[in-house]
Amino acid sequence: ENMVSEPPSIIDQFIPDIAKDPFKKGENPFVLEIEGLHELNEKILLPKKDCVLFLSAPFCRTCKKLSPQFTTFARKQQDGNGEDIVFAKAHASGPIGKDLGRTLNVEAVPAFVMFRKGEVYGDRLSISRIPSNELEVAVQYLASGAQWDREKFSNVVARND
């Protein structure tokens, strides 16, 4: 009796698209997935971590393009800085994500929010491509322990562009 394989069901045909979502948990060793305020508290704020958080949304084209670029950036930074800075990303859509975005005063994605020792640090950055001079300078600031100085930051970014 020979086995005839069943044609794939409708659901099976769509699974690969879901599986391709770069936000699937645990898939990326360089970027920590954070879901909502609860996980932000648990993984960044309470342990007083330094962190660069990338806020994104599934419907955002720029975010989709940035996602692999952010991973590459995180990997290169971790090669240079050891494990001191956590690179993380979170959705700012859906009820949990919108709540997170509101709490962090993020009105549009893509947005990058930095934390030093579990406290929001510096300005929220709106960056549409990586490599980004702005993001690199911001991470240097974060790593250095310097106080955030908006004017100085803008000048350094302008000089390097």
Side-chain angles (χ1 to χ4, degrees):
E1 182 175 314
N2 61 351
M3 299 285 286
V4 176
S5 65
E6 298 258 318
S9 73
I10 296 292
I11 289 174
D12 289 341
Q13 289 170 15
F14 288 104
I15 281 180
D17 289 339
I18 296 165
K20 277 184 223 139
D21 181 1
F23 279 85
K24 263 183 61 183
K25 277 187 178 278
E27 211 172 77
N28 183 334
F30 305 105
V31 177
L32 177 71
E33 304 293 339
I34 287 185
E35 204 175 325
L37 275 172
H38 165 72
E39 286 196 358
L40 182 69
N41 264 321
E42 190 184 297
K43 295 178 176 175
I44 304 300
L45 308 184
L46 292 172
K48 297 194 179 338
K49 298 271 189 202
D50 291 354
C51 172
V52 178
L53 177 65
F54 167 32
L55 285 157
S56 155
F59 54 80
C60 161
R61 272 212 175 108
T62 306
C63 301
K64 279 198 174 86
K65 194 182 74 200
L66 274 173
S67 196
Q69 296 172 356
F70 182 66
T71 297
T72 303
F73 179 76
R75 183 175 50 92
K76 286 181 178 160
Q77 290 292 325
Q78 284 163 358
D79 287 348
N81 293 331
E83 299 297 304
D84 296 343
I85 296 175
V86 176
F87 290 84
K89 66 181 157 189
H91 279 312
S93 60
I96 292 176
K98 282 183 177 152
D99 194 30
L100 178 67
R102 255 196 311 274
T103 305
L104 296 173
N105 293 320
V106 168
E107 283 160 28
V109 291
F112 294 83
V113 181
M114 295 179 296
F115 299 85
R116 174 175 292 149
K117 297 190 170 83
E119 308 264 329
V120 172
Y121 172 76
D123 297 325
R124 283 141 199 79
L125 305 174
S126 176
I127 290 165
S128 54
R129 63 169 205 272
I130 301 172
S132 152
N133 192 22
E134 205 176 343
L135 190 58
E136 288 189 24
V137 173
V139 170
Q140 284 166 14
Y141 257 68
L142 180 60
S144 74
Q147 281 297 110
W148 185 258
D149 180 333
R150 181 176 295 146
E151 198 177 322
K152 200 167 160 190
F153 174 74
S154 303
N155 291 339
V156 172
V157 169
R159 255 203 321 274
N160 292 348
D161 263 346

